[in-house]
Amino acid sequence: DGTIIHGMYVMGVMGKMLSDWAGNKNIRKYGVNFKAMTKPGAVLTAGGEIKRKYEDDNGKKLINLKLFVKDETGDVKLDGKAVVECE
């Protein structure tokens, strides 16, 4: 029903939030699930939550994240997961 914003744009919003927070070189894994269509003019908010902090077998410090993008009504447009390395 009308024009929508491409899901890859919404994924880019989340990716920008993640790279601003962690730095591009520290992102080890990043994936999303598309949940709902986004209409032009929507106000999008990206955020996340730390789910786990740990060291791998090589001694690298890693963080597992749960991520989301939602609109101004709280409707989740996509969710995702990421693994970032801490320096």
Side-chain angles (χ1 to χ4, degrees):
D1 181 43
T3 305
I4 62 168
I5 296 172
H6 197 286
M8 294 303 288
Y9 173 81
V10 181
M11 185 179 180
V13 169
M14 183 186 289
K16 175 78 168 113
M17 180 271 306
L18 179 61
S19 65
D20 285 352
W21 180 75
N24 287 338
K25 67 180 183 168
N26 296 319
I27 300 170
R28 298 294 172 254
K29 292 183 182 179
Y30 174 53
V32 304
N33 296 305
F34 299 96
K35 298 298 209 179
M37 290 186 286
T38 305
K39 296 285 188 176
V43 177
L44 300 176
T45 302
E49 174 183 344
I50 294 173
K51 298 304 284 183
R52 180 177 171 222
K53 295 180 182 182
Y54 60 101
E55 279 190 27
D56 70 6
D57 294 337
N58 297 318
K60 291 183 181 178
K61 296 178 181 176
L62 302 172
I63 300 173
N64 288 358
L65 302 166
K66 178 180 175 185
L67 306 170
F68 66 85
V69 174
K70 61 183 177 180
D71 68 10
E72 66 278 7
T73 68
D75 189 27
V76 176
K77 302 303 180 176
L78 63 86
D79 62 20
K81 294 179 181 180
V83 177
V84 297
E85 183 176 342
C86 302
E87 297 181 346

XYZ file of all heavy atoms in Angstrom:
666
model
N 0.836 -1.189 0.000
C 0.000 0.000 0.000
C 0.878 1.249 0.000
O 1.182 1.794 1.052
C -0.917 -0.044 1.226
C -1.840 1.153 1.293
O -2.394 1.526 0.251
O -1.992 1.696 2.396
N 1.377 1.660 -1.137
C 2.168 2.878 -1.245
C 3.663 2.643 -1.200
O 4.144 1.525 -1.293
N 4.381 3.718 -1.031
C 5.842 3.707 -1.031
C 6.388 3.246 0.324
O 5.848 3.601 1.360
C 6.369 5.129 -1.322
O 5.799 5.581 -2.554
C 7.875 5.158 -1.424
N 7.454 2.464 0.272
C 8.133 2.045 1.502
C 9.627 2.347 1.375
O 10.144 2.545 0.277
C 7.931 0.544 1.818
C 8.521 -0.339 0.715
C 6.467 0.240 2.054
C 8.607 -1.804 1.080
N 10.300 2.369 2.511
C 11.754 2.523 2.551
C 12.374 1.132 2.442
O 11.933 0.196 3.109
C 12.179 3.218 3.860
C 11.620 4.634 3.896
C 13.690 3.208 4.018
C 11.816 5.342 5.214
N 13.378 1.012 1.611
C 14.031 -0.284 1.405
C 14.635 -0.789 2.713
O 15.234 -0.023 3.479
C 15.129 -0.131 0.352
C 15.576 -1.422 -0.235
N 16.374 -2.312 0.458
C 15.328 -1.993 -1.436
C 16.613 -3.364 -0.298
N 15.993 -3.193 -1.452
N 14.468 -2.067 2.977
C 14.978 -2.673 4.207
C 16.475 -2.525 4.386
O 16.969 -2.410 5.510
N 17.222 -2.497 3.276
C 18.674 -2.336 3.381
C 19.044 -0.946 3.897
O 20.077 -0.781 4.537
C 19.341 -2.607 2.031
C 19.210 -4.058 1.585
S 19.873 -5.239 2.774
C 21.611 -4.950 2.565
N 18.201 0.049 3.647
C 18.433 1.370 4.230
C 18.311 1.293 5.753
O 19.143 1.833 6.484
C 17.459 2.413 3.678
C 17.581 3.741 4.387
C 18.588 4.628 4.048
C 16.719 4.075 5.426
C 18.726 5.835 4.717
C 16.852 5.279 6.103
C 17.849 6.151 5.745
O 17.993 7.337 6.418
N 17.268 0.616 6.219
C 17.061 0.470 7.664
C 18.224 -0.315 8.270
O 18.720 0.022 9.352
C 15.697 -0.195 7.966
C 15.477 -0.320 9.461
C 14.559 0.595 7.324
N 18.702 -1.334 7.561
C 19.874 -2.078 8.023
C 21.091 -1.158 8.106
O 21.907 -1.270 9.018
C 20.158 -3.250 7.090
C 21.279 -4.137 7.540
S 21.508 -5.499 6.369
C 22.872 -6.360 7.128
N 21.209 -0.236 7.175
C 22.296 0.733 7.191
C 22.230 1.662 8.392
O 23.264 2.053 8.951
N 21.009 2.045 8.798
C 20.840 2.874 9.995
C 21.419 2.130 11.202
O 22.162 2.693 12.009
C 19.351 3.231 10.222
C 19.125 3.846 11.590
C 18.858 4.168 9.124
N 21.077 0.843 11.308
C 21.596 0.048 12.421
C 23.109 -0.121 12.307
O 23.831 -0.010 13.303
C 20.933 -1.321 12.489
C 21.398 -2.140 13.683
S 20.776 -3.826 13.701
C 19.066 -3.563 14.061
N 23.597 -0.373 11.119
C 25.029 -0.538 10.913
C 25.813 0.711 11.271
O 26.903 0.634 11.835
N 25.257 1.882 10.956
C 25.905 3.150 11.302
C 25.994 3.312 12.813
O 27.036 3.706 13.350
C 25.119 4.300 10.678
C 25.609 5.673 11.066
C 26.838 6.069 10.305
C 27.126 7.559 10.497
N 28.328 7.802 11.247
N 24.898 2.996 13.510
C 24.906 3.072 14.971
C 25.984 2.143 15.536
O 26.774 2.525 16.393
C 23.524 2.691 15.527
C 23.384 2.718 17.039
S 23.797 1.198 17.955
C 22.809 -0.051 17.183
N 26.044 0.917 15.006
C 27.010 -0.068 15.492
C 28.443 0.376 15.220
O 29.301 0.321 16.105
C 26.735 -1.428 14.849
C 27.664 -2.570 15.222
C 27.608 -2.853 16.716
C 27.305 -3.817 14.420
N 28.721 0.847 14.011
C 30.091 1.245 13.677
C 30.508 2.517 14.421
O 31.669 2.662 14.781
C 30.266 1.420 12.170
O 29.483 2.482 11.681
N 29.570 3.431 14.679
C 29.891 4.620 15.481
C 30.268 4.217 16.903
O 31.160 4.811 17.505
C 28.707 5.584 15.532
C 28.508 6.370 14.246
O 29.373 6.296 13.340
O 27.472 7.052 14.138
N 29.592 3.215 17.438
C 29.837 2.776 18.808
C 31.099 1.927 18.927
O 31.931 2.128 19.805
C 28.627 2.008 19.340
C 28.796 1.522 20.739
C 28.738 2.264 21.888
C 29.053 0.165 21.154
N 28.947 1.456 22.980
C 29.136 0.167 22.559
C 29.208 -1.031 20.467
C 29.378 -0.989 23.295
C 29.447 -2.183 21.202
C 29.525 -2.147 22.590
N 31.243 0.939 18.035
C 32.313 -0.058 18.178
C 33.524 0.211 17.291
O 34.604 -0.296 17.571
C 31.771 -1.455 17.861
N 33.346 0.974 16.224
C 34.420 1.151 15.245
C 34.371 0.041 14.214
O 34.188 -1.134 14.567
N 34.510 0.391 12.949
C 34.401 -0.596 11.858
C 35.337 -1.782 12.031
O 34.954 -2.925 11.797
C 34.686 0.068 10.507
C 33.572 0.954 10.051
O 32.421 0.803 10.477
N 33.889 1.895 9.191
N 36.566 -1.512 12.448
C 37.565 -2.589 12.524
C 37.269 -3.597 13.630
O 37.838 -4.686 13.638
C 38.963 -2.011 12.700
C 39.175 -1.314 14.026
C 40.574 -0.766 14.145
C 40.734 -0.145 15.522
N 42.107 0.149 15.830
N 36.375 -3.265 14.559
C 36.082 -4.161 15.683
C 34.847 -5.033 15.478
O 34.574 -5.913 16.295
C 35.922 -3.345 16.968
C 37.206 -2.649 17.345
O 38.288 -3.218 17.229
N 37.103 -1.408 17.763
N 34.108 -4.811 14.408
C 32.903 -5.608 14.150
C 33.317 -6.937 13.539
O 33.953 -6.982 12.492
C 31.929 -4.851 13.228
C 31.505 -3.539 13.885
C 30.713 -5.729 12.911
C 30.740 -2.604 12.971
N 32.980 -8.026 14.211
C 33.347 -9.369 13.739
C 32.190 -10.068 13.025
O 32.407 -10.810 12.074
C 33.816 -10.242 14.906
C 35.060 -9.710 15.586
C 36.260 -9.777 14.630
N 37.413 -9.102 15.175
C 37.865 -7.918 14.761
N 37.243 -7.280 13.793
N 38.916 -7.375 15.301
N 30.972 -9.857 13.492
C 29.778 -10.442 12.865
C 28.654 -9.430 12.970
O 28.570 -8.679 13.949
C 29.342 -11.727 13.559
C 30.287 -12.889 13.387
C 29.729 -14.133 14.050
C 30.721 -15.274 13.919
N 30.232 -16.492 14.580
N 27.772 -9.444 11.957
C 26.630 -8.533 11.945
C 25.552 -9.149 11.066
O 25.818 -9.514 9.928
C 27.061 -7.168 11.399
C 25.945 -6.176 11.201
C 25.071 -5.870 12.222
C 25.790 -5.523 9.991
C 24.060 -4.939 12.049
C 24.794 -4.590 9.802
C 23.929 -4.300 10.843
O 22.928 -3.386 10.662
N 24.362 -9.310 11.605
C 23.255 -9.856 10.833
C 21.930 -9.331 11.365
O 21.828 -8.932 12.525
N 20.921 -9.310 10.482
C 19.616 -8.767 10.874
C 18.482 -9.659 10.401
O 18.652 -10.502 9.514
C 19.397 -7.338 10.314
C 20.502 -6.399 10.737
C 19.244 -7.344 8.810
N 17.313 -9.435 10.990
C 16.042 -10.022 10.550
C 15.093 -8.860 10.296
O 14.876 -8.025 11.175
C 15.448 -10.916 11.643
C 16.321 -12.102 11.940
O 16.671 -12.862 11.053
N 16.702 -12.240 13.194
N 14.532 -8.812 9.096
C 13.587 -7.760 8.748
C 12.226 -8.118 9.342
O 11.751 -9.233 9.182
C 13.515 -7.594 7.229
C 14.841 -7.193 6.644
C 15.691 -8.143 6.115
C 15.248 -5.872 6.657
C 16.927 -7.785 5.582
C 16.477 -5.505 6.140
C 17.319 -6.454 5.611
N 11.609 -7.156 10.032
C 10.381 -7.419 10.776
C 9.151 -6.725 10.202
O 8.060 -7.268 10.261
C 10.538 -6.981 12.240
C 11.614 -7.722 12.984
C 11.282 -9.168 13.039
C 11.843 -9.845 14.242
N 11.495 -11.246 14.281
N 9.279 -5.488 9.727
C 8.120 -4.722 9.278
C 8.548 -3.675 8.252
O 9.701 -3.249 8.236
C 7.448 -4.036 10.470
N 7.609 -3.276 7.417
C 7.872 -2.242 6.425
C 7.981 -0.877 7.104
O 7.360 -0.633 8.137
C 6.760 -2.208 5.382
C 6.769 -3.418 4.470
S 5.561 -3.279 3.163
C 4.058 -3.578 4.083
N 8.766 -0.018 6.479
C 8.968 1.338 6.984
C 8.469 2.322 5.935
O 8.823 2.212 4.763
C 10.461 1.592 7.266
O 10.943 0.581 8.155
C 10.688 2.952 7.876
N 7.673 3.274 6.353
C 7.123 4.292 5.458
C 8.016 5.529 5.452
O 8.637 5.857 6.472
C 5.712 4.699 5.911
C 4.699 3.573 5.845
C 4.306 3.317 4.434
C 3.149 2.336 4.355
N 2.693 2.140 3.014
N 8.079 6.237 4.325
C 8.821 7.502 4.288
C 8.310 8.449 5.376
O 7.121 8.497 5.665
C 8.513 8.055 2.899
C 8.198 6.846 2.078
C 7.489 5.903 3.026
N 9.241 9.163 5.998
C 8.899 10.096 7.064
C 8.975 9.506 8.455
O 8.886 10.229 9.445
N 9.137 8.182 8.549
C 9.252 7.546 9.868
C 10.513 8.038 10.571
O 11.544 8.257 9.946
C 9.300 6.025 9.727
N 10.425 8.214 11.861
C 11.583 8.578 12.682
C 12.139 7.280 13.251
O 11.478 6.614 14.054
C 11.177 9.549 13.812
C 12.379 9.858 14.700
C 10.580 10.819 13.239
N 13.336 6.923 12.822
C 13.934 5.645 13.223
C 14.941 5.834 14.343
O 15.716 6.788 14.356
C 14.618 4.991 12.021
C 13.715 4.681 10.839
C 14.541 4.128 9.684
C 12.608 3.727 11.228
N 14.923 4.892 15.278
C 15.859 4.864 16.388
C 16.538 3.503 16.405
O 15.859 2.480 16.368
C 15.135 5.081 17.734
O 14.457 6.334 17.690
C 16.108 5.070 18.892
N 17.868 3.515 16.434
C 18.636 2.275 16.523
C 19.208 2.158 17.931
O 19.605 3.153 18.532
C 19.762 2.272 15.495
N 19.236 0.943 18.434
C 19.774 0.721 19.767
C 20.181 -0.721 19.949
O 20.071 -1.536 19.033
N 20.624 -1.033 21.135
C 21.051 -2.391 21.395
C 21.282 -2.650 22.863
O 21.127 -1.770 23.707
N 21.668 -3.881 23.109
C 21.870 -4.351 24.477
C 23.034 -5.342 24.474
O 23.132 -6.196 23.585
C 20.589 -5.049 24.919
C 20.614 -5.730 26.230
C 19.288 -6.449 26.508
O 18.278 -6.181 25.842
O 19.297 -7.289 27.408
N 23.896 -5.205 25.447
C 24.990 -6.170 25.610
C 24.412 -7.436 26.225
O 23.790 -7.396 27.274
C 26.112 -5.596 26.492
C 26.776 -4.418 25.784
C 27.129 -6.684 26.838
C 27.779 -3.671 26.631
N 24.604 -8.560 25.537
C 24.083 -9.837 26.018
C 25.147 -10.671 26.717
O 24.846 -11.430 27.622
C 23.488 -10.647 24.858
C 22.307 -9.983 24.170
C 21.175 -9.649 25.111
C 20.384 -10.857 25.494
N 19.243 -10.558 26.355
N 26.401 -10.534 26.268
C 27.454 -11.380 26.846
C 28.818 -10.764 26.570
O 29.073 -10.287 25.466
C 27.377 -12.765 26.209
C 28.395 -13.748 26.715
C 28.199 -15.128 26.084
N 29.311 -15.980 26.437
C 29.919 -16.818 25.604
N 29.490 -16.952 24.370
N 30.926 -17.558 26.001
N 29.700 -10.804 27.575
C 31.102 -10.419 27.423
C 31.948 -11.654 27.718
O 31.677 -12.348 28.696
C 31.484 -9.319 28.411
C 30.777 -8.004 28.197
C 31.240 -7.003 29.254
C 30.540 -5.691 29.137
N 31.020 -4.721 30.139
N 32.944 -11.913 26.875
C 33.753 -13.116 27.071
C 35.075 -13.002 26.325
O 35.260 -12.091 25.516
C 32.995 -14.364 26.609
C 32.618 -14.346 25.140
C 33.361 -15.055 24.205
C 31.517 -13.629 24.688
C 33.024 -15.044 22.860
C 31.164 -13.623 23.355
C 31.924 -14.321 22.444
O 31.585 -14.299 21.110
N 35.974 -13.933 26.582
C 37.224 -14.067 25.842
C 37.172 -15.332 25.013
O 36.706 -16.364 25.484
C 38.421 -14.146 26.800
C 38.895 -12.826 27.300
C 40.226 -12.907 28.047
O 41.030 -13.827 27.770
O 40.433 -12.047 28.911
N 37.670 -15.248 23.766
C 37.719 -16.453 22.944
C 38.982 -17.248 23.276
O 39.752 -16.881 24.165
C 37.597 -16.121 21.453
C 38.814 -15.425 20.870
O 39.854 -15.279 21.566
O 38.744 -15.022 19.696
N 39.214 -18.337 22.552
C 40.359 -19.222 22.814
C 41.704 -18.535 22.574
O 42.731 -18.987 23.067
C 40.270 -20.487 21.963
C 39.087 -21.347 22.357
O 38.614 -21.215 23.504
O 38.620 -22.142 21.518
N 41.687 -17.436 21.783
C 42.919 -16.706 21.492
C 43.117 -15.509 22.419
O 44.024 -14.710 22.210
C 42.920 -16.232 20.038
C 42.889 -17.391 19.070
O 43.578 -18.386 19.261
N 42.085 -17.278 18.036
N 42.254 -15.370 23.413
C 42.373 -14.282 24.366
C 41.756 -12.967 23.921
O 41.919 -11.947 24.588
N 41.043 -12.976 22.788
C 40.384 -11.750 22.320
C 39.125 -11.514 23.146
O 38.346 -12.435 23.393
C 40.015 -11.866 20.848
C 41.214 -11.878 19.944
C 40.803 -11.915 18.498
C 42.042 -11.950 17.615
N 41.689 -12.045 16.206
N 38.927 -10.279 23.566
C 37.748 -9.906 24.338
C 36.614 -9.560 23.369
O 36.770 -8.673 22.521
C 38.059 -8.728 25.247
C 39.090 -9.072 26.296
C 39.424 -7.875 27.147
C 40.492 -8.288 28.160
N 40.933 -7.151 28.961
N 35.498 -10.270 23.508
C 34.372 -10.119 22.594
C 33.098 -9.763 23.352
O 32.953 -10.094 24.531
C 34.160 -11.408 21.799
C 35.341 -11.889 20.966
C 35.058 -13.266 20.394
C 35.658 -10.896 19.866
N 32.188 -9.116 22.641
C 30.876 -8.770 23.190
C 29.819 -9.210 22.187
O 29.905 -8.889 20.998
C 30.745 -7.250 23.425
C 31.794 -6.756 24.410
C 29.343 -6.901 23.905
C 31.820 -5.243 24.552
N 28.819 -9.946 22.664
C 27.644 -10.285 21.859
C 26.574 -9.231 22.118
O 26.276 -8.917 23.273
C 27.082 -11.658 22.233
C 27.956 -12.786 21.772
O 28.978 -12.587 21.130
N 27.560 -13.997 22.108
N 25.987 -8.714 21.050
C 24.982 -7.663 21.145
C 23.665 -8.090 20.529
O 23.649 -8.810 19.525
C 25.463 -6.404 20.403
C 26.779 -5.804 20.859
C 27.278 -4.813 19.827
C 26.601 -5.137 22.198
N 22.581 -7.629 21.106
C 21.243 -7.733 20.522
C 20.883 -6.319 20.057
O 20.999 -5.363 20.839
C 20.242 -8.228 21.562
C 18.834 -8.319 21.052
C 17.910 -8.818 22.150
C 16.475 -8.795 21.665
N 15.553 -9.169 22.735
N 20.487 -6.155 18.795
C 20.264 -4.846 18.196
C 18.838 -4.693 17.696
O 18.145 -5.686 17.459
C 21.233 -4.652 17.027
C 22.715 -4.868 17.349
C 23.524 -4.895 16.062
C 23.218 -3.810 18.290
N 18.408 -3.447 17.487
C 17.072 -3.186 16.946
C 17.014 -1.832 16.263
O 17.846 -0.953 16.529
C 16.012 -3.225 18.050
C 16.161 -2.116 19.062
C 15.603 -0.867 18.834
C 16.885 -2.314 20.215
C 15.768 0.167 19.752
C 17.052 -1.295 21.145
C 16.487 -0.044 20.902
N 16.055 -1.672 15.381
C 15.637 -0.372 14.855
C 14.130 -0.327 14.998
O 13.434 -1.266 14.607
C 16.030 -0.170 13.379
C 15.451 1.135 12.836
C 17.537 -0.175 13.203
N 13.630 0.764 15.583
C 12.188 0.926 15.730
C 11.795 2.325 15.283
O 12.643 3.216 15.173
C 11.754 0.670 17.173
C 12.365 1.597 18.199
C 11.925 1.207 19.608
C 12.612 2.104 20.630
N 12.216 1.779 21.989
N 10.493 2.498 15.023
C 10.018 3.818 14.633
C 9.457 4.565 15.836
O 9.525 4.068 16.971
C 9.003 3.730 13.485
C 7.687 3.090 13.880
O 7.425 2.864 15.080
O 6.882 2.815 12.967
N 8.899 5.740 15.587
C 8.433 6.594 16.679
C 7.249 6.010 17.436
O 6.969 6.414 18.567
C 8.083 8.002 16.152
C 6.905 8.059 15.214
C 7.224 7.708 13.760
O 8.349 7.284 13.444
O 6.325 7.849 12.925
N 6.570 5.011 16.865
C 5.470 4.360 17.572
C 5.932 3.141 18.360
O 5.133 2.501 19.032
C 4.363 3.923 16.589
O 4.861 2.864 15.761
C 3.869 5.083 15.737
N 7.226 2.809 18.246
C 7.770 1.639 18.940
C 7.718 0.369 18.115
O 8.113 -0.693 18.584
N 7.234 0.468 16.867
C 7.157 -0.694 15.980
C 8.568 -1.093 15.548
O 9.292 -0.288 14.947
C 6.303 -0.344 14.757
C 5.995 -1.535 13.885
O 5.965 -2.677 14.400
O 5.764 -1.342 12.669
N 8.983 -2.314 15.854
C 10.329 -2.799 15.511
C 10.370 -3.104 14.017
O 9.591 -3.902 13.504
C 10.702 -4.045 16.334
C 12.052 -4.590 15.900
C 10.722 -3.718 17.821
N 11.275 -2.442 13.322
C 11.440 -2.607 11.876
C 12.421 -3.716 11.540
O 12.272 -4.388 10.537
C 11.891 -1.297 11.238
C 10.930 -0.157 11.479
C 9.553 -0.512 10.973
C 8.548 0.589 11.191
N 7.248 0.264 10.611
N 13.435 -3.865 12.365
C 14.339 -5.007 12.233
C 15.060 -5.215 13.540
O 15.173 -4.319 14.363
C 15.310 -4.863 11.061
C 16.327 -3.749 11.005
C 17.589 -4.124 11.752
C 16.692 -3.499 9.562
N 15.476 -6.465 13.738
C 16.324 -6.772 14.881
C 17.547 -7.505 14.364
O 17.576 -7.937 13.216
C 15.592 -7.548 15.974
C 15.084 -8.908 15.549
O 15.590 -9.456 14.542
O 14.201 -9.444 16.202
N 18.550 -7.580 15.194
C 19.774 -8.200 14.719
C 20.685 -8.583 15.862
O 20.374 -8.398 17.043
N 21.819 -9.120 15.448
C 22.856 -9.535 16.391
C 24.204 -9.103 15.832
O 24.380 -8.987 14.619
C 22.863 -11.053 16.555
C 21.625 -11.608 17.195
C 21.718 -13.119 17.299
C 20.447 -13.690 17.926
N 20.511 -15.152 18.033
N 25.137 -8.879 16.732
C 26.501 -8.550 16.323
C 27.474 -9.078 17.361
O 27.113 -9.296 18.520
C 26.665 -7.042 16.171
N 28.697 -9.284 16.918
C 29.817 -9.607 17.787
C 30.887 -8.562 17.506
O 31.254 -8.330 16.335
C 30.373 -11.019 17.528
C 31.592 -11.285 18.406
C 29.313 -12.069 17.739
N 31.337 -7.904 18.562
C 32.406 -6.916 18.407
C 33.564 -7.275 19.317
O 33.381 -7.894 20.374
C 31.927 -5.478 18.704
C 30.855 -5.059 17.719
C 31.442 -5.322 20.112
N 34.754 -6.906 18.870
C 35.958 -7.138 19.660
C 36.312 -5.859 20.407
O 36.248 -4.763 19.852
C 37.111 -7.533 18.742
C 38.375 -7.869 19.482
C 39.505 -8.353 18.572
O 39.225 -8.744 17.425
O 40.659 -8.299 19.023
N 36.680 -6.006 21.664
C 37.130 -4.883 22.492
C 38.639 -4.786 22.398
O 39.314 -5.801 22.393
C 36.735 -5.085 23.950
S 34.990 -5.294 24.206
N 39.119 -3.585 22.380
C 40.570 -3.390 22.330
C 41.169 -3.361 23.706
O 40.549 -3.140 24.673
C 40.885 -2.103 21.585
C 40.441 -2.161 20.147
C 40.778 -0.897 19.389
O 41.120 0.122 20.006
O 40.706 -0.952 18.175
